[in-house]
């Protein structure tokens, strides 16, 4: 059996406010295998997003350990975690987060810019073609609809051939019809690229399409 | 390719993103600083040149009794300085028909080193044929040039022989223009110019004679400075262009106004920079979080932002310098006649200063918010607003500009007062504004206003900042504009268009009535006739100020107040002239003297003191009954001491009348000169015209500059309001989505911003009054005035601006929220 690509052991996340401290995640342990798709579901405020930020190395746990691609995140400083994300991880956000002054194609190539790698326009065009936006490659985000913007974001997420893709409510800002097209596209690309997918969602139908679903309630995880 | 995309991105951010207001503000800073620095450099050069022309050289060493040492002169030569020597002596001039005490200037042929000496060998008065082409600019050996008055006083003409001491010389002509001629209408003794080589022949240069030696120097400023380090004796002194003339004073005030305006423009542009940078970094938070989550390291982000800033700076500097060059041309246009042709080069300084100032202002105002932007956590994008610990170290960026401010202002109290006053006012006005909104809230209003008031009161810090900023910018705008108006008014008053431009002196008592009648007949506006008696102040109460006989040597005299060194002009009047302001005491018609306040201060003269005077060895006393303020620049006859008639009326006097003659009426002036040959006429028309036109030119420049400052201020206000409205955007769109009518939304916006505009406008009017009054009084030493109309104008302007903003953004605001 291959090593898990993500492994969390007894992870606790607490935040301290001015008056007291609040435990958001309590003793969370989980494993995600390479190529697997995992949905994190639960009511608002349950700790889904917090867990995702910890698993992706955007934040650090108060206690416990997370191994990402075999590396213990508590041993890495912020820069090292950024380097790890840069190399192997990608994101899709609820609010798309495209750069308004860059065209669709340029937005797709953004990860190359961060990596300092060669701007592979051919690959960017291919991906735009895959998400059905070949014709709109030179449009600015403001000239695209919400669904189109999220498709550009998907193309951006896959261009760096990430090992893991984290998606935070990727259809949260879209109408149902557009949302289902985006979901199709997300799973199709995931299959084609063999990417591990961690998905935060409220949508049960979206969660059902994943290999596994983790329910989070009051900071605790149940499968 | 990689660099290409980054560059494209940064370039587009400068134009399309949130960065363009920053680019604009920075461009404005560079342009204004460049234009002003360049203009000031040029005007400075003009002032120095004018001052030096009036000196006859770049620097003059005056030495009484003691010839200038050869060591000093050889040092001057070593320093590469050119010099010209002059010896002055007072002696008698004799002709066949008369004699007169004259001031002889024995000079070398190369005098003047600066300015113009015009010697006219064929003056009209000499009855020789008039040939205007034959002017001399330098004196040659064996020549003798006389001041105009001497032709009458000695009754000679060109070609006649005049004895100066023992030397017999033939009159060569008239001194038409002496660079050293002072504005003083009572110009000491008539001047005679001879060559230095002829001085020995006069025999007047013998030991014991009252000689004064001068050395005129010309050359590099650094060499002049070095020369001034040379040791001199107590009876020697340096004179440079720092001893200011009349035009220098106007230019000085204009310059002071320029630097003040520059400071205010900088303040407003910096405020725009801070606001827009803050707004920019707020809008970029999500982008930074997204970039971080995609794996951008801190150093990558730093490079990204640094590159962005660099491009922004490059762009703003280029645009700013181009705009600055154009602006300088525009500001210079009205000054064309004043500036030398060809123009002296502005050198590197304005370029360096403008970029330097932009860096100093730009670094902290943009740097602080951008450096804090780097601290945005990557989780912000997923978890929304997360608590971010705000770093304070970026504020260290403020140290450099603050230090530069200290260096720049140094001990310039006006600037510090302005800054301190602004800070205090800002706090005070923000507080007043908030207090007023609180007060308004206690009354019953319609729903729109009630909602607006509660919102203003709820977000206190934001409201204070917004109110304060709006108030402050409106206030600064008014200050710049009104200060300009006050300054121009004051100049206009000191030199009104109908000011006298000719002084007639030495009018004999019996000539006064016919002379005045003649002026009346020609309808030339003229002053009263003032009796003039020359004499000395010798004693204050029991303290002897100087001997009644003018026998002291000049070395002793030079240490005294200038008013004691020479004879002064006294007059007597039944009443004080209306153009003098009584500052203390009361005019009495018996045994009294009224003293000008500056000289009273210098000589510690107080009301009730008994002053003793001497006129032609005859002494008399008078009691100080009043102190007067005198505006010396107004071209009216003015006196240090005015006596009640009983004190002086019995002494022999000549009379003085000032009047105005237009340029085209020169023939009237010539006729007066022919009819009254013994009356000396001082024609100041050219000088007065020069000053008038200089004033006009400077006024135009100030207006252009003030307009620019006002435009930049309006830009700030517009930016401010736009940012504020766009922050409300989401809220308003929500109302719209929930079905609020256009009318309702418009009413809500108007209620909130209308209240703010009225309060800010009103507070700004109060602030502007206070600032202008204190600046006018302490900075420019003029009388403050009230500008009541500000209280109506500023709120109206503020509401007008808000109208523009809401109208331009309305369509955008009314679109319902998407998704």
């Amino acid at each position: 059996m291959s090593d898990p690509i993500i492994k969390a052991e007894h992870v606790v996340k607490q935040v301290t406010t001015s008056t007291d401290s609040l435990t958001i995640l309590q003793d969370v342990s989980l494993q995600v295998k390479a190529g697997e798709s995992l949905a994190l579901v639960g009511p608002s405020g349950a700790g889904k997003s917090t867990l995702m930020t910890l698993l992706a190395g955007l934040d650090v746990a108060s206690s416990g350990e997370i191994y990402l691609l075999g590396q213990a995140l508590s041993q890495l400083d912020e820069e090292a975690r950024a380097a790890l994300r840069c190399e192997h991880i990608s994101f899709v956000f609820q609010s798309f987060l495209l750069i308004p002054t860059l065209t669709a194609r340029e937005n797709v190539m953004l990860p190359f810019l961060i990596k300092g790698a060669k701007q592979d326009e051919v690959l960017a065009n291919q991906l735009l073609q895959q998400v059905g936006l070949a014709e709109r490659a030179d449009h600015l985000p403001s000239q695209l609809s919400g669904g189109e913007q999220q498709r550009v974001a998907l193309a951006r997420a896959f261009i760096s051939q990430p090992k893991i893709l984290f998606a935070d409510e990727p259809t949260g800002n879209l109408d149902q019809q557009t949302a289902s097209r985006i979901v199709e596209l997300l799973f199709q690309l995931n299959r084609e690229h063999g990417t591990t997918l961690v998905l935060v969602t409220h949508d049960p139908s979206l969660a059902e399409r994943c290999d596994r679903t983790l329910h989070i309630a009051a900071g605790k995880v149940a499968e | 390719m990689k660099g290409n995309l980054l560059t494209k991105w940064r370039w587009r951010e400068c134009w399309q993103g949130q960065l363009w207001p920053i680019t604009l503000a920075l461009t404005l800073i560079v342009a204004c600083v460049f234009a002003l620095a360049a203009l000031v450099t040029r005007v400075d050069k003009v002032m120095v040149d004018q001052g030096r022309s009036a000196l006859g050289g770049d620097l003059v060493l005056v030495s009484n009794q003691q010839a200038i040492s050869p060591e000093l002169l050889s040092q001057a030569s070593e320093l590469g300085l050119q010099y010209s020597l002059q010896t002055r002596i007072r002696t008698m001039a004799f002709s066949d028909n008369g004699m007169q005490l004259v001031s002889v200037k024995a000079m070398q042929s190369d005098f003047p080193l600066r300015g113009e000496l015009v010697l006219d060998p064929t003056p009209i008065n000499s009855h020789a044929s008039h040939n205007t082409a034959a002017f001399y600019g330098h004196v040659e050996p064996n020549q003798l040039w006389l001041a105009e008055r001497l032709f009458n006083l000695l009754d000679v003409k060109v070609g006649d022989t005049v004895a100066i001491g023992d030397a017999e010389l033939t009159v060569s002509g008239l001194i038409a223009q002496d660079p050293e001629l002072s504005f003083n209408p009572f110009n000491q003794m008539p001047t005679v110019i001879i060559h230095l080589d002829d001085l020995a022949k006069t025999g007047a240069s013998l030991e014991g004679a009252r000689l004064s030696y001068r050395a005129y120097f010309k050359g590099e400023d650094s060499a002049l400075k070095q020369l001034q380090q040379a040791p001199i004796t107590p009876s020697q002194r340096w004179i440079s262009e720092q001893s200011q003339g009349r035009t220098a004073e106007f230019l000085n005030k204009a310059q002071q106004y320029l630097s003040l305006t520059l400071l205010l423009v900088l303040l407003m542009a910096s405020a725009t920079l801070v606001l827009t940078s803050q707004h920019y970094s707020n809008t970029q938070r999500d982008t930074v979080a997204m970039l971080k989550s995609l794996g951008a390291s801190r150093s990558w982000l730093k490079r990204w932002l640094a590159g962005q800033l660099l491009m922004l700076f490059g762009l703003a500097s280029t645009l700013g310098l181009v705009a600055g060059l154009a602006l300088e041309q525009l500001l210079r246009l009205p000054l064309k006649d004043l500036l030398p042709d060809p123009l002296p080069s502005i050198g590197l300084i304005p370029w360096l200063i403008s970029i330097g100032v932009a860096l100093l202002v730009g670094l902290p105002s943009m740097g602080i918010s951008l450096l804090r932007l780097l601290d945005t956590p990557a989780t912000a994008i997923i978890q929304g607003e997360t608590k971010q610990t705000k770093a304070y170290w970026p504020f260290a960026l403020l140290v450099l500009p603050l230090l530069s401010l200290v260096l720049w202002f140094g001990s310039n109290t006006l600037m510090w007062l302005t800054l301190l006053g602004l800070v205090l006012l800002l706090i005070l006005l923000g507080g007043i504004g908030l207090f007023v909104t609180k007060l308004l809230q206690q009354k019953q209003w319609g729903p729109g206003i009630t909602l607006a008031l509660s919102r203003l009161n709820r977000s206190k810090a934001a409201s204070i900042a917004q109110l304060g900023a709006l108030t402050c910018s409106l206030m600064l705008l008014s200050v710049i504009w009104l200060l300009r108006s006050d300054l121009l008014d004051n100049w206009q008053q000191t030199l009104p268009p109908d000011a006298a431009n000719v002084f007639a002196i030495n009018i004999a008592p019996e000539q006064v009535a016919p002379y005045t009648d003649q002026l009346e007949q020609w309808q030339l506006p003229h002053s009263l006739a003032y009796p003039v008696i020359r004499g000395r102040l010798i004693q204050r109460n029991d303290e002897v100020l100087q001997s009644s006989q003018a026998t002291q040597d000049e070395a002793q005299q030079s240490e005294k107040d200038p008013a004691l060194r020479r004879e002064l002009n006294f007059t007597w009047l039944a009443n004080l002239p209306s153009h003098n302001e009584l500052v203390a005491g009361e005019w009495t018609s018996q045994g009294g003297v009224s003293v000008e306040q500056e000289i009273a201060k210098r000589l510690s003269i107080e009301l009730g003191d008994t002053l003793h005077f001497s006129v032609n060895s005859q002494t008399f006393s008078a009691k100080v009954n009043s102190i007067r303020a005198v505006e010396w620049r107004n071209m009216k006859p003015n006196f240090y001491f005015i006596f009640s008639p009983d004190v002086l009326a019995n002494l022999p006097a000549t009379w003085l009348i000032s009047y105005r003659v237009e340029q085209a009426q020169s023939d009237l002036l010539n006729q007066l000169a022919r009819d009254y040959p013994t009356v000396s006429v001082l024609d100041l028309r050219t000088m007065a015209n020069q000053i008038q036109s200089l004033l006009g030119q400077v006024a135009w420049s100030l207006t252009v500059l003030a307009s620019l400052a006002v435009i930049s201020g309006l830009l700030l206000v517009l930016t401010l309001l736009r940012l504020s409205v766009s922050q409300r955007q989401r809220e308003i769109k929500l109302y719209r989505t929930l079905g609020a009518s256009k009318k309702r939304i418009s009413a809500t916006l108007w209620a909130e911003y209308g209240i703010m505009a009225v309060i800010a406008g009103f507070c700004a009017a109060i602030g502007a009054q206070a600032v202008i009054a204190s600046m006018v009084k302490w900075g420019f030493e003029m009388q403050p005035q009230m500008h009541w109309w500000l209280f109506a104008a500023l709120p109206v302007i503020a509401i007008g601006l808000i109208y523009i903003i809401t109208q331009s953004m309305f369509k955008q605001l009314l679109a319902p929220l998407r998704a």
Side-chain angles (χ1 to χ4, degrees), chain A residues 79 85 91 97 101 106 119, chain B residues 5 12-13 292-293 381:
Chain A
E79 288 301 279
R85 286 199 299 275
F91 286 88
L97 286 176
T101 48
E106 288 162 349
Q119 310 282 300
Chain B
L5 179 53
R12 286 188 211 144
E13 284 289 324
K292 276 191 171 178
S293 65
I381 195 58

Side-chain angles (χ1 to χ4, degrees), chain A residues 16 49-50 52-53 58-59 78-79 82-83 85-86 90-91 93 97 99 101-103 106 109-111 113-114 116-117 119 121 140 156 168 173, chain B residues 1-3 5-6 8-9 12-13 16-17 286-287 289-300 303-304 378-379 381-383 387 818-819:
Chain A
T16 44
S49 294
T50 306
M52 188 174 100
T53 60
L58 296 177
D59 200 358
E78 205 186 322
E79 288 301 279
R85 286 199 299 275
C86 184
S90 208
F91 286 88
F93 307 100
L97 286 176
I99 306 283
T101 48
L102 294 183
T103 62
E106 288 162 349
M109 292 193 295
L110 191 65
L113 206 61
I114 297 173
Q119 310 282 300
E121 254 185 74
L140 290 173
R156 177 179 70 191
D168 178 35
N173 271 353
Chain B
M1 280 307 280
K2 155 186 117 182
L5 179 53
L6 253 183
K8 258 195 257 175
W9 182 8
R12 286 188 211 144
E13 284 289 324
Q16 300 158 14
D286 281 356
T287 304
M290 181 269 284
L291 290 169
K292 276 191 171 178
S293 65
L294 290 187
S297 66
R298 222 181 143 77
S299 61
W300 188 91
R303 278 201 308 279
W304 170 64
T379 51
I381 195 58
I382 289 165
Q383 296 176 322
K387 209 177 78 186
R818 274 201 306 189

